[in-house]
Amino acid sequence: MELDVVALSRLQFALTALYHFLFVPLTLGLSILLAIMETVYVMTGRAIWRQMTKFWGTLFGINFVLGVSTGLVMEFQFGMNWSYYSHYVGDIFGAPLAIEGLMAFFLEATFVGLFFFGWDKLSKIGHLAATWAVALGSNFSALWILIANGWMQNPVGAAFNPQTMRMEVNDFFAVLFNPVAQAKFVHTVSAGYVTASIFVLGVSAWYLLKGRHLELAKRSMTVAASFGLAASLSVVVLGDESGYLSTEHQKMKLASIEAMWKTEPAPAAFTAFGFPDQKARETHYAVHIPWVMGLIGTRSLTTEIPGIEDLVKSAEARIRNGVEAYDALQTIRASAAPGAIPAEAQAAFEAGGHDLGYALLLKRYVDDPRQATDEQIARAASDTIPHVPTLFWTFRIMVGLGIFFIVLTATFFYLSARHRLDRYPLLLKLAVAAIPLPWIAAECGWIVAEVGRQPWIIEGVLPTAAAVSDLGAFTVLLTILGFTAIYTVLFIVEMGLMLHAIKKGPAPDPEPQAELAPHALAPAE
Amino acid sequence: MILHTLLDYETLRVIWWVLLGVLLIGFAVMDGFDLGTAMLLPFVAETDLERRVVINSVGPVWEGNQVWLILGGGAVFAAWPPLYAVSFSGFYLAMFAILFALILRPVGFKYRSKREDPRWRASWDWALFVGGLVPALVTGVAVGNVLQGANFHFGPDLRIFYDGTTLFELLNPFGLLCGLLSVAMLVMHGANWLLLKTDGVVSERARTFGGLAAVAVIALFALGGLWLWLGVDGYRFVSAVVADGPSNPLAKTVERASGVWFENYGTMSWTLIAPALGFLGALASLGFSQGRKAVPALLSSALSIFGVISTVGVSMFPFILPSWTDPKSSLTVWDASSSHLTLFIMLVATVIFLPLILAYTTWVYRVLWGKVDERAIARGDGHAY
């Protein structure tokens, strides 16, 4: 891949988005865990639960602030680096982002201040309400951003308007209740809950190994194991749902994840292992498990899943169809007034307009898609294959880790029920070592979702290469360096503070009554 | 869906132009005092305890306030997609500078007092200062450049091209003047906030800076107006105005002429209230702050910000982002909006959520009412920064 402005803009988006998502999952899950812990505190009145809420809250805060900082970059970057995208789909894509601000960010950010500063200013119930508001707010934000992202994968409820040269919404409820978005939402927040659960589990296991803060650690582990078990089951179920929906909406993504080069008779086999070769279009040393792919992908024994080569053929047909639509569009654009549009052009555009995006795939090779040669059309059609080995491997890492999380949380759930959490040091060490794994799984998940969508920025509607801003490659390189520099520094600082706070452990938490009494500045214990 | 035809396209566009102003003003008023406070940090507070008092005065609220900017970005994307596309990419490096500063700021608030090391704390204090100054200055410079017109044009398929703007061209004298005005305005506002939330020596220093800033606002606003009159050409439609047509910026013709940015005040003289509030608000802020009346002073500086920003909007109406290299590509209220349906849906969402936001924000400020407790910070209570 040459380092032109398209590649650099993609690189910058990938770097900033993957970095942003280091902080998001922990925020999503830990906010809920904090709310659960504080609810127990309010219901039982036992101070240990308040201390737990405050301790995990400190770690939450260190993480949260970087999520906010890096989220701002995401919100602005569409306009900065992807201006044709912003123009082309802003009518649909902008709305969920704005509603995210209205419904979610304000709630989350306004109450997070009270969470930290409101312990002495609010009643127990009042503070609990603030904590739940933070949890709800952060989870709502996931809902709206995934409605936006779901639309990029499955662009429903919109049509192209030749007058304004952009996609415009015609059914907002279709955008809202997009099945891809709903499945992604539950899959993603569940992944966040798993991340937070494994984090709490791992840090608590470390305390148990060190023999510190035993009361806090055991209780935290109980909460994390049960919440984490439910969440990791949910991640897998909804991940399966996402896979099933890709069969319907993103056939190429599914075929590439499976490195399924040719259409196989139903039910297709699942390739558990192998080395996909993009150039030769085959998978070396493949280990197949019969039937599994067909069952997961179609939930039937008779429906075929199309392979990559057949999908390329159908893409070529759609490119030719799109070129005709493109031609009709130029005629429509050239007409002075809406009344003067030739009926023929109008009819041709209505017939082929849904493939207009396929004609834009040719823009990489030729300015006017109508001038494209057969050879260029064939190249554009084979461009519709995403990078198969990347998808194949990231998907398998993600799924493998997902299954591991179920086993791990189920084990600790069992130990907690049997009051044996501190009996098996080896398992505790495993829990500590598992802390980074949910992040790896989550990042792999995003790579599968977004690399799998290539070469499209909006599946079937707008190619990524056509969506960038008219910037110089050097300018984008400059900002990549800038973001990388500040993000690296902040990552080191963040990790340092996080480890410091974990090593320091929870602050002794005096009873609220003691705090209100004068001269009670000394720790109560 | 036919409900959206209850409001015609032209009305919705005007409503969204007003809401664009509400968001910008909301950001400048709410996040403005955070930015102003951060800019004042190295000057009004000397000891570590004083600095922590200043930081904690905005500690619980800056996160909520910053959402005005995030919402602003989202709402411009949703309601004015071409504006979002052109301005964010056209002012690319300026936007990057703002982002860089705004990345530093939250981290500065949160991380500064987590370690005792004085060098660590001093570094974050400067990061906070930069995090306040850069967004204030660059936003003002950007507005100054919008008034003069930006360098962009649309290709036939509405792809956006920039005609050679560099970061340094943005820093022209008029742009810098607007940048300074923006800085002065937010310093004035931040100083009034500190007057409200602190006492003793910090409060006294803030009062001095706030007074100076208010004088600067009056002088710079007057100078800016004069310059605009004498030295900056405005833009106007040559072709007939079609207020409810499709959003195609290329369907019109536009000319540049001097004095055009003052025409709206002639045809609608009630709009003169905008610049009047800009001046009177700053004057009242000066009076109240020197009289140590914090609440009226804060309201006055907010009013001044309202007046100054509204003045820019009213002067340019119906233009939002003119282009001086290709005037017909200019973005206006009539050809840079989302579709009729999207504007309607976004209005419904705003009508539902904005009152809720204002209600719970008010409640949070009431809970947090009162001066920052210096002793609580000194003994290291709770989660204070």
Side-chain angles (χ1 to χ4, degrees):
Chain A
M1 193 164 21
E2 57 175 323
L3 281 185
D4 56 0
V5 67
V6 177
L8 287 167
S9 299
R10 282 186 63 195
L11 179 64
Q12 176 166 310
F13 199 92
L15 285 175
T16 51
L18 290 174
Y19 188 81
H20 176 55
F21 213 74
L22 291 176
F23 310 103
V24 175
L26 194 58
T27 297
L28 287 173
L30 210 46
S31 64
I32 300 261
L33 283 173
L34 292 176
I36 292 173
M37 289 173 188
E38 196 176 342
T39 304
V40 176
Y41 164 63
V42 171
M43 283 167 65
T44 63
R46 294 171 66 182
I48 177 88
W49 289 92
R50 176 181 142 119
Q51 190 193 22
M52 281 160 66
T53 313
K54 280 192 168 184
F55 169 66
W56 296 109
T58 304
L59 302 184
F60 172 81
I62 295 170
N63 172 74
F64 180 82
V65 75
L66 273 180
V68 172
S69 278
T70 56
L72 195 63
V73 176
M74 303 317 299
E75 179 100 11
F76 282 27
Q77 215 172 165
F78 298 106
M80 289 169 69
N81 293 80
W82 305 95
S83 63
Y84 198 58
Y85 170 86
S86 304
H87 152 76
Y88 208 85
V89 298
D91 197 70
I92 307 108
F93 189 83
L97 262 62
I99 298 174
E100 184 185 23
L102 282 166
M103 183 176 172
F105 287 148
F106 263 115
L107 193 65
E108 178 185 34
T110 306
F111 284 99
V112 81
L114 275 193
F115 174 80
F116 290 114
F117 289 79
W119 285 104
D120 306 330
K121 294 181 197 280
L122 290 166
S123 67
K124 276 185 185 178
I125 299 282
H127 192 275
L128 180 65
T131 309
W132 274 108
V134 174
L136 268 182
S138 55
N139 280 270
F140 277 147
S141 81
L143 172 67
W144 288 101
I145 197 64
L146 288 160
I147 286 176
N149 182 266
W151 190 80
M152 295 169 83
Q153 318 283 348
N154 179 30
V156 287
F160 185 80
N161 180 351
Q163 302 293 326
T164 52
M165 281 299 288
R166 67 182 182 195
M167 299 294 288
E168 290 184 357
V169 71
N170 55 26
D171 183 353
F172 186 67
F173 290 100
V175 177
L176 210 58
F177 298 110
N178 184 350
V180 173
Q182 300 300 327
K184 269 179 170 290
F185 166 62
V186 186
H187 181 61
T188 309
V189 292
S190 302
Y193 303 162
V194 174
T195 307
S197 301
I198 303 273
F199 175 76
V200 171
L201 207 62
V203 174
S204 304
W206 188 73
Y207 284 144
L208 287 188
L209 284 168
K210 296 272 163 194
R212 294 170 56 190
H213 318 299
L214 299 181
E215 288 303 298
L216 177 137
K218 282 184 191 169
R219 283 184 174 80
S220 300
M221 279 180 112
T222 303
V223 177
S226 39
F227 187 63
L229 178 58
S232 48
L233 288 170
S234 159
V235 174
V236 173
V237 171
L238 268 298
D240 168 60
E241 180 68 15
S242 290
Y244 178 65
L245 290 167
S246 320
T247 325
E248 219 172 302
H249 307 291
Q250 293 183 298
K251 296 188 170 67
M252 185 61 98
K253 184 191 274 182
L254 188 77
S256 305
I257 287 171
E258 291 316 317
M260 204 168 95
W261 303 100
K262 294 188 171 55
T263 308
E264 291 174 30
F270 175 81
T271 310
F273 183 83
F275 294 97
D277 183 337
Q278 186 105 1
K279 276 210 181 102
R281 291 194 183 175
E282 58 181 286
T283 305
H284 307 296
Y285 309 110
V287 178
H288 297 292
I289 307 174
W291 285 31
V292 171
M293 188 58 221
L295 282 172
I296 295 175
T298 67
R299 296 181 189 163
S300 94
L301 290 174
T302 51
T303 316
E304 263 188 1
I305 301 176
I308 292 172
E309 289 183 356
D310 283 337
L311 290 169
V312 170
K313 272 181 209 144
S314 83
E316 189 168 333
R318 295 187 76 174
I319 291 172
R320 291 183 191 280
N321 199 15
V323 170
E324 278 170 35
Y326 186 86
D327 183 47
L329 175 65
Q330 300 313 312
T331 317
I332 293 172
R333 296 278 300 165
S335 317
I341 297 169
E344 225 173 65
Q346 187 69 36
F349 186 75
E350 273 163 27
H354 56 91
D355 284 336
L356 180 66
Y358 280 82
L360 301 180
L361 285 172
L362 291 165
K363 289 252 179 189
R364 263 182 82 176
Y365 304 111
V366 55
D367 272 343
D368 185 346
R370 291 171 293 185
Q371 311 296 328
T373 62
D374 282 348
E375 190 256 341
Q376 284 168 330
I377 289 176
R379 267 164 74 190
S382 68
D383 284 348
T384 58
I385 311 174
H387 195 252
V388 175
T390 305
L391 293 175
F392 186 87
W393 284 111
T394 47
F395 180 79
R396 275 153 189 75
I397 294 170
M398 175 183 77
V399 172
L401 288 173
I403 292 165
F404 170 72
F405 299 143
I406 295 178
V407 175
L408 185 74
T409 49
T411 309
F412 277 95
F413 182 71
Y414 173 79
L415 293 179
S416 150
R418 288 302 188 87
H419 301 287
R420 286 183 190 167
L421 282 171
D422 47 2
R423 296 277 182 84
Y424 307 98
L426 212 59
L427 278 177
L428 293 174
K429 279 180 191 157
L430 181 67
V432 177
I435 292 177
L437 300 180
W439 277 274
I440 295 174
E443 301 282 323
C444 283
W446 277 112
I447 292 170
V448 171
E450 306 307 301
V451 174
R453 198 191 55 227
Q454 299 307 321
W456 301 104
I457 194 162
I458 304 286
E459 179 78 33
V461 169
L462 186 68
T464 311
V468 285
S469 301
D470 171 42
L471 296 165
F474 180 73
T475 309
V476 182
L477 190 64
L478 202 67
T479 55
I480 290 178
L481 293 176
F483 281 124
T484 309
I486 190 170
Y487 277 8
T488 308
V489 171
L490 291 182
F491 185 75
I492 294 167
V493 170
E494 201 259 2
M495 289 299 282
L497 287 175
M498 205 65 142
L499 292 175
H500 179 73
I502 291 171
K503 273 185 199 141
K504 196 172 144 206
D509 184 52
E511 289 291 324
Q513 290 81 357
E515 267 178 20
L516 292 177
H519 313 299
L521 300 181
E525 294 164 47
Chain B
M1 265 186 270
I2 42 163
L3 216 58
H4 67 284
T5 49
L6 286 173
L7 280 170
D8 63 54
Y9 203 5
E10 178 178 357
T11 310
L12 275 169
R13 281 171 163 161
V14 175
I15 289 174
W16 271 101
W17 177 78
V18 172
L19 284 176
L20 180 64
V22 168
L23 288 170
L24 281 175
I25 293 164
F27 168 61
V29 169
M30 297 301 290
D31 210 27
F33 68 73
D34 300 350
L35 295 170
T37 301
M39 283 189 270
L40 285 166
L41 176 64
F43 307 105
V44 296
E46 280 166 11
T47 67
D48 185 58
L49 187 59
E50 285 168 12
R51 293 203 167 170
R52 292 187 71 182
V53 167
V54 170
I55 291 168
N56 278 284
S57 77
V58 293
V61 293
W62 66 267
E63 263 160 326
N65 293 338
Q66 183 167 289
V67 180
W68 284 95
L69 178 68
I70 303 176
L71 178 61
V76 173
F77 199 174
W80 306 100
L83 174 65
Y84 176 78
V86 173
S87 61
F88 282 44
S89 58
F91 296 141
Y92 186 80
L93 287 177
M95 293 306 299
F96 175 73
I98 292 180
L99 281 179
F100 198 89
L102 289 180
I103 292 169
L104 280 178
R105 194 174 74 119
V107 186
F109 281 128
K110 193 81 199 175
Y111 290 176
R112 175 198 182 275
S113 300
K114 295 242 181 236
R115 283 175 54 179
E116 297 282 347
D117 183 3
R119 269 182 313 174
W120 166 273
R121 291 191 171 181
S123 311
W124 284 116
D125 287 343
W126 283 107
L128 283 170
F129 171 75
V130 170
L133 178 69
V134 170
L137 182 71
V138 177
T139 320
V141 170
V143 171
N145 280 280
V146 168
L147 278 163
Q148 298 171 89
N151 317 12
F152 69 94
H153 73 271
F154 284 103
D157 52 1
L158 295 189
R159 184 170 288 282
I160 305 148
F161 296 96
Y162 319 104
D163 310 313
T165 315
T166 65
L167 191 57
F168 297 104
E169 279 171 54
L170 293 179
L171 300 175
N172 53 60
F174 182 73
L176 281 173
L177 176 79
C178 293
L180 289 179
L181 173 58
S182 165
V183 168
M185 208 162 75
L186 299 190
V187 167
M188 163 180 81
H189 197 44
N192 290 338
W193 173 257
L194 286 175
L195 206 57
L196 177 70
K197 295 299 279 187
T198 64
D199 39 28
V201 60
V202 172
S203 176
E204 281 306 300
R205 289 184 196 129
R207 192 171 66 92
T208 312
F209 282 105
L212 290 172
V215 174
V217 169
I218 295 169
L220 291 166
F221 191 40
L223 191 62
L226 197 66
W227 196 324
L228 197 66
W229 174 255
L230 297 174
V232 178
D233 288 351
Y235 296 73
R236 67 178 158 218
F237 274 70
V238 178
S239 56
V241 173
V242 183
D244 59 354
S247 285
N248 175 9
L250 293 178
K252 64 178 180 300
T253 42
V254 167
E255 65 171 6
R256 294 172 69 195
S258 74
V260 173
W261 284 157
F262 289 81
E263 278 176 358
N264 284 338
Y265 299 106
T267 50
M268 295 175 285
S269 51
W270 62 271
T271 53
L272 281 168
I273 196 166
L277 281 178
F279 285 115
L280 292 176
L283 202 62
S285 168
L286 178 64
F288 285 126
S289 67
Q290 300 316 299
R292 295 185 175 78
K293 301 225 176 309
V295 175
L298 194 64
L299 291 176
S300 305
S301 50
L303 213 58
S304 174
I305 292 173
F306 171 85
V308 171
I309 296 178
S310 303
T311 301
V312 176
V314 169
S315 303
M316 293 177 59
F317 187 89
F319 284 82
I320 304 177
L321 179 55
S323 161
W324 74 265
T325 47
D326 182 37
K328 75 171 188 308
S329 287
S330 297
L331 302 179
T332 73
V333 176
W334 314 126
D335 55 23
S337 79
S338 290
S339 65
H340 195 164
L341 180 57
T342 295
L343 288 185
F344 182 78
I345 292 165
M346 287 308 303
L347 183 62
V348 172
T350 309
V351 167
I352 294 171
F353 288 111
L354 201 57
L356 275 173
I357 291 166
L358 294 177
Y360 62 64
T361 305
T362 311
W363 181 72
V364 168
Y365 276 82
R366 278 187 50 175
V367 170
L368 298 167
W369 189 256
K371 306 260 182 200
V372 177
D373 186 355
E374 199 172 307
R375 283 168 310 166
I377 293 172
R379 66 172 185 261
D381 263 16
H383 285 273
Y385 291 151

